[in-house]
Amino acid sequence: QVQLVESGGGLVQAGGSLRLSCAASGRTFSNYAIGWFRQAPGKEREFVAAISVLGDSTYYADSVRGRFTVSRDNAKNTVYLQMNSLKLEDTAVYYCAARPFRATMNIREFGAWGQGTQVTVSS
């Protein structure tokens, strides 16, 4: 199983930017598609973005498309989520998750999860 650790969260004003990182260890990182999810207080965890094993395919939720960009560096065993034009409604705990090979937006198909990193957007 691959182990994941998120970092890069924090407090940012609306309209600002943050870059989250998801560092992996354990199994061969390049065999895993990575997804980003988020959970706001009182809400269910939801899909944000996903990236294929080679990084040649990316997927986004409608709410973040055009503002967020997911990328990966397999040499560094790291996936990034660049978040621009942040909105108040982006406030949540952000998680990265891994599944073997095929990228998907289905949260139930991801078996390995990080501990999450808090992103708070203020007005």
Side-chain angles (χ1 to χ4, degrees):
Q1 190 72 295
V2 63
Q3 290 81 45
L4 304 172
V5 178
E6 304 93 336
S7 61
L11 175 64
V12 63
Q13 285 192 326
S17 298
L18 279 176
R19 188 177 79 158
L20 305 184
S21 297
C22 173
S25 61
R27 296 291 185 94
T28 304
F29 178 67
S30 57
N31 287 343
Y32 287 84
I34 301 295
W36 283 97
F37 300 83
R38 66 186 181 187
Q39 188 167 19
K43 294 188 176 181
E44 292 188 353
R45 195 169 299 187
E46 65 176 5
F47 170 78
V48 175
I51 189 166
S52 61
V53 295
L54 295 179
D56 53 348
S57 296
T58 55
Y59 309 85
Y60 297 96
D62 289 343
S63 58
V64 307
R65 186 175 291 111
R67 300 188 297 122
F68 291 11
T69 302
V70 60
S71 62
R72 68 189 294 160
D73 185 341
N74 285 345
K76 295 183 178 180
N77 285 5
T78 303
V79 170
Y80 305 98
L81 185 67
Q82 178 66 44
M83 306 186 296
N84 299 329
S85 303
L86 282 161
K87 304 177 180 180
L88 297 178
E89 52 264 41
D90 294 320
T91 295
V93 178
Y94 283 71
Y95 301 87
C96 63
R99 76 175 304 279
F101 303 113
R102 186 177 62 87
T104 175
M105 296 182 285
N106 188 340
I107 190 171
R108 296 180 180 85
E109 296 192 31
F110 287 84
W113 291 81
Q115 83 290 347
T117 186
Q118 175 71 47
V119 171
T120 303
V121 184
S122 65
S123 58

